[in-house]
Structures are given as structure tokens and as C-alpha cells.
Amino acid sequence: MDVGGGWGRARDVTRRVGRGVADAGRATARAGRATASGTVRASRATARGAQKVGKATRRLTYANGADRTGLGRLIELSAGNSASDALVTVALASTVFFGVPVGEARGSVALYLVITMLPFALLAPFVGPILDRFRSGRRYVMAGTLFGRGLLCFAMAAAVGPGDLPTLFIGALGVLVLSKAYNVSRAAIMPSVLPADIGLVSANARVALFTLVSAGIAVPVGAGLTAWLGSAVALRVAMVAFLLLGVAAVRLPRHVDSPDLEEEGAAPRWRTLFKVGPAVAEAVWANVAVRVFSGFLLFFLLFLVQDQAVPWLAARDPFFDVPKTIALLAGAAGLGGLAGAVVANWTRNHAPQLIVLLTLAMAAVTTIVTAIFFGVWAALAISLITAFAQELGKLALDAIVQREIGEEVRSSTFGVVEAMLQLAWVFGGLVGLVLSLTRSGTAGLVTLAVLLTVALVWLLFTRRKRIRAADARLRGHRAEHADQHQRPDTLDPTKPLTNPNG
């Protein structure tokens, strides 16, 4: 036996294996370095891209003097507020609503709407007057609404695991009330941060545009985060965001706070739709009709699609299914909201009263056409136009309130307006839930078209009646003034008395 030769061959094999392992290690190291280098380069490119996007966004938000007045910082704060609210909405939706079958989801949604909206209807009238009492500290009021929502998100995140529905419902109610309080405060301070080159409609549109974009980005992020890590994590992320935004709210410019000018001993003034003036009341009622339209359409189409009671799903269209249809309808609604904000910015400050009535007319006509030609493209069109009309009409309404209502009761007025619009949306949603049980798109849309047409005709009639009454009063004043000048016994106190005979 050649033992020495065997050991030699074994050493050769061992050396070759060692060299192979070393080569593999070096290759792995090179691949790791290349991967790390690529990751670093990708991270730097992403950071540079994010920095460029941030600078471009800052240029847009601070344009036309918005950096000097504080409007730019208010836009950024409102965008963050909208994104955080969207995270909460996505987390709660996946927890409370649509994780159950369609029939049970109707009951869950109806229960949520009733439980949260009834207390909101009782609390809403007090929000505006309370905010009016703290006009000198509006920054801190806005910060308080953000800090409060952060704490509520912490409580709801702890309630997700054990399925504590009472805590979730109470937390959702609190988030809703504080969100509306923030919106009321933001709308009330808009005139104080308005640059000279921007009208109220344009400023409101700029805020709405950035809030819609931020919410549109936050919704898929929140959905992905919820699917990956769960609703509790999404709520905790929203909590951190709300707390950071609260700090940013405190750092708003000082002139956001208005001095308290109420007379001592004066009774607080409460706002109702009978005390806001005819122009504001007309705009509010038109927006109420559009909100009923919006709430109805959302839940009506949603459950028709989930029941597969729409023509394109009933016919087993190979391209459209339930998830794709819902995604397309949501995309159309998002695009419509953005278009409404863009058009509002383009209209500047021209005729907001006319804009409000035109949005209602647009909603009525679109509903009639959709009822006649109900199909997938008609459904997409009505989703887009609904969001467009709601956004444009609300921005015009905000401008009317900011123009017509004094600062001392502006928050009270916005509180009434927000409550009316929210309750109208809920009422429309409940009607949509009920009519979706008929599984007939045409029947529901015809009912809605009749209601919108009646609302439009009534508003046009009252507007014409008011204009005629104003014209009659003006003619009466002119006739009385002319009669005083034509009377021979009328003496002009500015002229000296003289004797006609010298």
C-alpha cells in the first residue's frame, strides 16, 4: 500500500477545497460589498430625490408671500394632520368594518355611524363657541386637538388586540370631534394668514390640495403597514405623528392668535342657520345636499359592488372584479377631489355663491345621467364628479363664511357648518346602506336625483325671491329719496335762508 501517496492526494484535495472555500468567501465578500455599495447609492439617490421633492413642495406652499404670513406653515401642518387622520381611518376600517361578511358589515357600519354621530351631533354646537372663547390662544387649541388625538390613538392601539369595541368606538368619536375642532380652528384663522396676493378661495384651495395629496399618499402606506404589522402598529405611528404635529402647531406665528375683544358681561352668541345670514345659509344648504349625495353614493356603490349587484360584475366581466372596481372607484374619487381643489385655486375669489349652486346643479345632472346609463363608466364618472362637487362647493362655502362672518363668532359659525355637513353625510350614508338592499342601482340613483333636483329648485326659488325683495327695497329707498328732493317744503339745512324780495 502506498500510504504516502494516499496522504499526498488527500492533502491536494484538502488544498483545493480550501482554495475553493477561500474563493467562495472572497466572492461572497465582493458581492456583499457590491450590495452594500448599491444600497448606499440607492439610499443616497432616494434621499436626494426626497430632498428635491421637499424643496419643490416648500416652494409651492410658500409661494405668493405665504412664507411671510404663516400660510405656508399652516398648509404643511394641515397636510400632516390629514395624513395622520388617514392612517387612523385605514387602521379602524380594517379593524371594525370590512373584516366581516357583507351582511354583517352593513350592520357594523350602521352601528358605527349611529354611535359616533349621535354624540357628535350633541357635542358639535359647543365646539365653535368654546373655540371663540379662546381666540387669543388658537395655536394652543390646535395643538391640543393634535395631542388629544395622539393619546386616543395610543388607547385604541391597546384596545385592538383584545378587541375592545367600546374603547375603539369612544376613541373614534374623540378623534372625529377633535379633527373637526382642528378644521374649525384652521378655517377660522385663514383670514389672519392670508397674503395680499391670494384670495380666500385660492388659499382654501391650496390647503385642500396639499391635504388631499398627503391623505392620498398616507392611505396606501397605512394599508400596507396595517397588512404587514397590524392595526395597532398603524395607530401607534399615527400617535407619534400627531404628537410631533402638536409641537409644530405651537410654533405657528403669533399673529394667528387674535385678541379677545368681547365686551365685559356680554352674553356669548350662539350660531344657528337662522343667524348666519341668507348668503351663508344658502351656501350651507347647497353643501348639505351635496354631502347627502356623497355619503349616499359611497355606501350605496360600495355594498352594491360587494354584493356583485352591478351590471358589469353580474355579467362576469373578465377584467373587472370586486377589488379592481373598488380601487377604480376610489381612484376616481381621489382624482375628483384633486380636480376640485385645482379648479377652486384657478377661480381665485370670483363668485363663490354661484360656484356653490353650480356644484349642486352638477351633482343633480350627473345623478340623472348615471341613473339612465348605469354601468361601470357611469359609476366612475359619478364618483369623480361627486368628489369634485363636494371639494369645490366646500371651498367656496369656507370663503363665504370667512368673508361674511365676523371673527368674534367665526369659529361658532364653522362649528355649526361642520356639524351640519357631517350629519348630512351620515344621513346620506345610512340611506345608501338601506337602498343597497334593493340591489338595484337605478332605483337608488333615481331617488337621489329627485332629492337633489328638489333641493336645487328650492334654493333657486328662495334666491330669486330674496333678490326680488332686495330690489324692491332698493327701489323703495330710491323713490323715497327722490320724493324728498321734489317736495317744495323740503329745506336744505346746508343752504342759508334768504329773503326772495331782497
Side-chain angles (χ1 to χ4, degrees):
M1 282 182 65
D2 188 3
V3 178
W7 280 110
R9 287 192 294 271
R11 282 196 299 272
D12 292 339
V13 170
T14 303
R15 290 194 192 97
R16 286 195 294 270
V17 170
R19 284 195 296 270
V21 171
D23 291 341
R26 286 192 291 271
T28 303
R30 286 194 297 270
R33 287 194 294 271
T35 301
S37 178
T39 303
V40 170
R41 286 195 297 271
S43 301
R44 288 175 179 172
T46 303
R48 285 194 297 270
Q51 188 177 14
K52 290 180 180 178
V53 171
K55 288 181 178 179
T57 304
R58 177 62 62 90
R59 284 196 297 270
L60 291 174
T61 56
Y62 282 23
N64 302 112
D67 55 337
R68 297 189 301 272
T69 62
L71 176 61
R73 294 168 67 177
L74 182 62
I75 291 173
E76 293 173 347
L77 180 66
S78 298
N81 172 76
S82 178
S84 302
D85 276 341
L87 284 176
V88 175
T89 301
V90 170
L92 290 180
S94 62
T95 301
V96 180
F97 301 145
F98 302 114
V100 294
V102 175
E104 297 179 21
R106 280 191 178 90
S108 298
V109 171
L111 180 64
Y112 170 78
L113 292 176
V114 171
I115 287 180
T116 57
M117 287 306 114
L118 285 180
F120 179 75
L122 298 175
L123 293 173
F126 298 95
V127 172
I130 290 173
L131 295 177
D132 278 331
R133 303 292 291 180
F134 292 96
R135 293 197 314 276
S136 61
R138 278 180 173 148
R139 291 179 298 159
Y140 301 101
V141 169
M142 295 174 72
T145 65
L146 293 162
F147 288 139
R149 275 178 283 171
L151 296 177
L152 288 172
C153 286
F154 177 78
M156 288 189 292
V160 167
D164 186 359
L165 286 181
T167 300
L168 289 173
F169 278 121
I170 293 173
L173 170 64
V175 168
L176 174 65
V177 172
L178 292 176
S179 179
K180 295 302 176 184
Y182 173 88
N183 290 333
V184 167
S185 297
R186 193 267 306 159
I189 68 172
M190 183 64 71
S192 64
V193 296
L194 189 68
D197 299 334
I198 303 178
L200 283 171
V201 176
S202 297
N204 291 327
R206 189 178 293 187
V207 174
L209 183 61
F210 281 94
T211 55
L212 286 171
V213 171
S214 63
I217 295 172
V219 166
V221 172
L225 188 63
T226 302
W228 181 31
L229 299 175
S231 299
V233 174
L235 288 170
R236 289 190 178 98
V237 171
M239 174 196 72
V240 174
F242 278 128
L243 295 179
L244 294 176
L245 290 170
V247 176
V250 176
R251 301 183 63 184
L252 285 172
R254 290 180 179 271
H255 61 262
V256 166
D257 302 329
S258 302
D260 293 323
L261 300 177
E262 292 285 343
E263 298 179 2
E264 292 185 5
R269 283 182 277 183
W270 295 80
R271 281 281 166 179
T272 67
L273 283 180
F274 302 103
K275 296 181 180 180
V276 295
V280 176
E282 178 184 272
V284 171
W285 285 121
N287 274 270
V288 163
V290 173
R291 285 302 176 96
V292 172
F293 172 54
S294 173
F296 174 93
L297 194 68
L298 172 65
F299 292 101
F300 182 70
L301 285 181
L302 176 64
F303 285 106
L304 280 186
V305 169
Q306 288 194 341
D307 285 337
Q308 298 189 17
V310 289
W312 60 93
L313 293 179
R316 305 295 180 182
D317 191 306
F319 178 77
F320 293 104
D321 56 12
V322 172
K324 287 180 181 178
T325 300
I326 292 176
L328 288 173
L329 292 174
L335 183 61
L338 288 175
V342 171
V343 170
N345 186 53
W346 173 71
T347 59
R348 301 297 177 184
N349 214 29
H350 300 306
Q353 205 77 32
L354 179 61
I355 291 174
V356 168
L357 293 177
L358 285 176
T359 57
L360 178 56
M362 185 187 306
V365 171
T366 305
T367 307
I368 294 171
V369 174
T370 306
I372 297 172
F373 304 102
F374 186 58
V376 61
W377 300 113
L380 291 174
I382 197 174
S383 298
L384 187 147
I385 293 176
T386 301
F388 175 83
Q390 176 178 306
E391 189 66 29
L392 183 58
K394 179 57 168 63
L395 294 174
L397 170 61
D398 287 348
I400 292 170
V401 173
Q402 290 159 350
R403 183 188 65 192
E404 299 287 337
I405 303 299
E407 188 177 11
E408 68 278 3
V409 287
R410 191 178 294 145
S411 293
S412 299
T413 305
F414 273 115
V416 171
V417 169
E418 289 289 342
M420 289 291 296
L421 297 183
Q422 190 70 37
L423 292 175
W425 186 83
V426 169
F427 174 75
L430 291 174
V431 174
L433 280 175
V434 173
L435 289 183
S436 69
L437 294 172
T438 64
R439 300 173 65 88
S440 172
T442 302
L445 291 171
V446 168
T447 303
L448 184 61
V450 171
L451 294 176
L452 290 175
T453 304
V454 169
L456 178 62
V457 171
W458 175 66
L459 286 175
L460 291 175
F461 174 76
T462 55
R463 179 180 178 82
R464 184 173 179 81
K465 183 179 178 181
R466 189 175 73 250
I467 291 175
R468 284 183 173 180
D471 290 341
R473 287 194 301 269
L474 181 60
R475 286 194 299 268
H477 287 311
R478 287 176 177 174
E480 182 180 355
H481 186 68
D483 186 58
Q484 288 178 353
H485 279 283
Q486 290 174 1
R487 274 189 253 167
D489 57 344
T490 302
L491 298 178
D492 189 347
T494 63
K495 295 182 179 180
L497 295 176
T498 57
N499 189 347
N501 295 324

